[in-house]
């Protein structure tokens, strides 16, 4: 739990705090909806972490990051929870030789429910993991099968009982909506089962399919089985109302949390803070530059074995472009955008459009900030698209979740 500590992205002296995203590209098996970079796990955990250490060394030196304060570490993937817990503990200790670590340090581990045991829960805590994010997705066996999740419903409930019984304080459940033949009854059952375990944080993502994933061919043949965009909007609003009644704050487009349990690493992204990405396909944002790593494990390994940073793309934003990007990102959050930033725009067409959104009730202007209403969250994709269209072409290309794309209705 991060209360009492500095929030990510705040100023520490003259330097912004830094987040770390570590992409672990291994899975037990590939889910049918997943387009993240991942490979079957064959026990190469120690070898992979040796590559991470080399990348860390090269980037800390190249980007002059020595001594920077790190406020969050996020192990994503892939399925990081299949690796030995000691690897994460060793990695966090290694960070101390390069950075100053905040205390308490928010360290998140993405977890496949199949990998959870009482022993692992203890080992993760001893390694320094403070926050778990469990990829539940659904409590309905038919949807687990459709999504390629091999976990049984019995195992899923047993896992959640272990997490609750272990006294784990800060953890999250991921859910997916927009599934075929999903109605308010089936979606309500997923929400009820989730609330039964009272996780401090809940993420609600809309099913978004890349043409490259196996489930896309099913969608193309049977698209009429999937809820329409309007129906998906109603399902999301239904979730928002249920979670609000249970005490959860809708603090970002796809994320709900009990007060004090907002994911600081997520907020770092939406506040356009600085973060260092490690591992294949990860992104970094430091010093006004965005950098992307090699997509494939082979390309990533080859670069490091040759003594090179595995960066394959870089862009630098002008100050004007950075301000506009700040605006786009902050508008995804309940905190919203300071009006002082809005008034810095010299584009009258854009200001008129924002005023129209306020008049329509999609955006709210209150306490010196502009932020989405409930309806605005539902239509945020369209809102941002229209805002972007009022702006001259920008190099803004990739608003990724530190290397992982998070699918949501408003993406």
């Amino acid at each position: 739990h991060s209360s009492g500590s500095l929030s990510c992205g705040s100023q520490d002296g003259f330097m912004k705090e830094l987040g770390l995203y570590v992409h672990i590209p291994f899975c037990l098996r590939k889910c049918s909806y997943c387009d993240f970079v991942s490979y079957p796990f064959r026990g190469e955990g120690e070898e992979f972490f040796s590559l991470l250490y080399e990348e860390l060394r090269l980037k800390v030196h190249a980007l002059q990051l020595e001594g920077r304060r790190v406020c969050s570490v996020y192990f994503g993937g892939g399925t990081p929870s299949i690796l030995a817990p000691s690897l994460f503990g060793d990695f966090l200790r290694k960070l101390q030789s390069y950075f100053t670590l905040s205390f308490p340090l928010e360290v998140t581990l993405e977890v496949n429910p199949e990998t959870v045991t009482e022993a692992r829960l203890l080992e993760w805590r001893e390694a320094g993991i403070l926050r778990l994010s469990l990829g539940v997705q659904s409590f309905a066996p038919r949807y687990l099968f459709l999504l390629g999740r091999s976990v049984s419903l019995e195992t899923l409930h047993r896992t959640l009982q272990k997490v609750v019984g272990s006294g784990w304080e800060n953890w999250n459940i991921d859910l997916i909506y927009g599934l075929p033949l999903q109605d308010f009854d089936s979606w309500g059952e997923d929400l009820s089962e989730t609330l039964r375990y009272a996780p401090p944080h809940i993420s609600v993502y809309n099913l978004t399919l890349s043409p490259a994933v196996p489930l896309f061919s099913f969608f193309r043949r049977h698209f009429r089985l999937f809820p329409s965009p309007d129906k998906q909007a109603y399902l999301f609003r239904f979730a928002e109302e249920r979670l609000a009644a249970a005490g959860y704050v809708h603090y970002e487009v796809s994320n709900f949390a009990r007060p004090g349990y907002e994911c600081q690493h997520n907020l770092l992204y939406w506040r356009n803070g600085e973060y260092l990405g490690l591992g294949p396909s990860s992104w970094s944002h430091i010093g006004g530059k965005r950098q992307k790593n090699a997509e494939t494990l082979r390309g990533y390994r080859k670069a490091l074995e040759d003594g090179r940073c595995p960066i394959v793309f870089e862009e630098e934003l002008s100050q004007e472009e950075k301000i506009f990007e700040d605006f786009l990102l902050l508008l995804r959050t309940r905190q919203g955008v300071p009006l002082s930033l809005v008034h810095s725009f010299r584009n009258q067409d854009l200001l008129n459009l924002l005023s129209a959104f306020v008049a329509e009730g999609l955006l709210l202007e209150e306490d010196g900030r502009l932020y989405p209403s409930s309806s605005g969250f539902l239509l945020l994709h369209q809102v941002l698209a229209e805002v972007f269209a009022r702006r001259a072409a920008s190099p803004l290309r990739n608003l990724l979740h530190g290397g992982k794309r998070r699918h949501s209705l408003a993406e």
Side-chain angles (χ1 to χ4, degrees), residues 51-94:
L51 295 174
L52 288 177
Y53 292 142
E54 178 62 9
E55 182 188 5
L56 180 64
R57 183 186 70 81
L58 290 171
K59 285 189 172 179
V60 166
H61 177 71
L63 299 171
Q64 300 181 346
L65 299 177
E66 294 91 345
R68 287 285 296 272
R69 179 173 291 276
V70 170
C71 64
S72 69
V73 179
Y74 194 105
F75 294 105
T79 308
S81 61
I82 61 177
L83 272 60
S86 60
L87 292 172
F88 304 112
D90 292 342
F91 180 84
L92 294 173
R93 283 187 288 274
K94 187 75 169 179

Side-chain angles (χ1 to χ4, degrees), residues 174-320:
D174 277 359
L175 293 176
I176 290 179
Y177 71 99
L179 298 165
L181 299 178
Q182 191 173 45
D183 55 19
F184 290 108
D185 288 340
S186 58
W187 180 225
E189 289 173 9
D190 274 351
L191 294 170
S192 295
E193 290 297 297
T194 299
L195 292 172
R196 170 181 160 193
Y197 294 102
H201 190 286
I202 299 172
S203 297
V204 177
Y205 299 118
N206 173 240
L207 179 69
T208 305
L209 299 173
S210 159
V213 304
L215 190 55
F216 184 81
S217 60
F218 178 85
F219 168 76
R220 189 169 53 186
R221 292 194 308 270
H222 306 290
F223 67 92
R224 289 185 178 84
L225 298 178
F226 290 75
S228 68
D230 285 345
K231 180 68 174 292
Q232 291 178 47
Y234 290 133
L235 291 171
F236 187 81
R237 176 65 66 82
F238 180 64
E240 185 181 45
E241 292 175 353
R242 285 285 303 272
L243 296 179
Y248 292 84
V249 176
H250 187 190
Y251 75 94
E252 191 270 335
V253 173
S254 303
N255 290 290
F256 302 77
R258 297 191 185 281
Y261 289 92
E262 299 84 356
C263 178
Q264 295 301 311
H265 193 81
N266 282 349
L267 286 173
L268 175 71
Y269 297 134
W270 307 128
R271 290 169 179 164
N272 212 11
E274 296 197 333
Y275 48 88
L276 177 66
L278 303 174
S281 77
S282 65
W283 284 76
S284 300
H285 175 224
I286 295 173
K289 293 183 179 180
R290 294 195 184 278
Q291 299 174 329
K292 183 185 180 183
N293 275 358
E295 281 277 347
T296 66
L297 181 57
R298 180 179 180 179
Y300 174 77
R301 180 188 289 114
K302 179 68 166 58
L304 291 169
E305 288 175 347
D306 291 344
R308 297 180 288 109
C309 281
I311 297 168
V312 295
F313 172 81
E314 180 178 288
E315 68 177 359
E316 185 168 5
L317 303 182
S318 69
Q319 185 61 26
E320 181 185 358

Side-chain angles (χ1 to χ4, degrees), residues 15 36 45 52 60 86 131 138 193 292 348 359 374 384 403 411:
M15 285 190 179
F36 305 148
L52 288 177
V60 166
S86 60
R131 184 173 181 274
S138 177
E193 290 297 297
K292 183 185 180 183
Q348 192 58 47
S374 293
L384 293 179
E411 186 176 32

Side-chain angles (χ1 to χ4, degrees), residues 6-42:
L6 288 170
S7 357
C8 279
S10 63
Q11 297 288 339
D12 180 24
F14 294 101
M15 285 190 179
K16 292 181 179 178
E17 290 193 312
L18 187 69
L20 263 66
Y21 175 82
V22 185
H23 187 77
I24 309 295
F26 303 112
C27 280
L28 295 171
R29 64 193 63 81
K30 192 87 165 178
C31 295
S32 62
Y33 64 96
C34 175
D35 65 349
F36 305 148
V37 175
S38 64
Y39 303 88
F41 182 56
R42 298 187 175 91

Side-chain angles (χ1 to χ4, degrees), residues 93 98 118 142 159 201 227 273 294 309 345 357 381 387 389 409:
R93 283 187 288 274
Y98 295 109
E118 284 91 347
R142 64 185 181 277
T159 292
H201 190 286
C309 281
F345 297 138
F357 285 144
H381 178 75
V387 167
L409 179 65

